Amino acid sequence: MLVRLTDAWQDILQRRAQSGGYPMAVTELLGEMTAAATLMQSNIKFNGALVMQIMGDGPVKLAVAEVHRPEPAGHRHGGGRGRLRRRCCPIW
């Protein structure tokens, strides 16, 4: 299975660029986490969010990638565009 994060990933990076951007190592870590979480979410059969969390004692103490399954077309809250929402945020 292949995952391509181009649009969503660029949105994430552009939002963060407004406040100085991520260091390259953090950008790579979050990109890998987002791709892995998207692949896992696409292979499990439940409606909900998949949250991947990595904790450590290095420069990044906590990194989180959250992926939501798209809502069905016509759902009252919108969605249904066939895209996954992604939210990645390192906590320093």
Side-chain angles (χ1 to χ4, degrees):
M1 183 172 270
L2 180 68
V3 63
R4 183 174 293 180
L5 302 176
T6 51
D7 293 340
W9 183 240
Q10 291 306 313
D11 290 345
I12 292 167
L13 294 178
Q14 287 173 2
R15 282 194 306 266
R16 181 60 183 186
Q18 296 170 359
S19 60
Y22 294 121
M24 184 53 68
V26 173
T27 300
E28 290 175 5
L29 172 66
L30 290 177
E32 291 169 358
M33 288 178 65
T34 302
T38 301
L39 285 169
M40 284 188 266
Q41 175 69 14
S42 69
N43 284 308
I44 55 179
K45 306 295 183 211
F46 82 103
N47 291 327
L50 181 136
V51 179
M52 178 184 287
Q53 177 177 305
I54 297 175
M55 299 173 70
D57 58 2
V60 177
K61 305 296 182 207
L62 176 67
V64 178
E66 181 177 344
V67 180
H68 295 263
R69 185 167 300 283
E71 295 174 348
H75 191 271
R76 66 183 186 140
H77 296 296
R81 292 188 290 179
R83 293 186 176 181
L84 298 176
R85 294 182 298 167
R86 296 163 189 91
R87 183 172 66 204
C88 297
C89 47
I91 299 173
W92 303 95

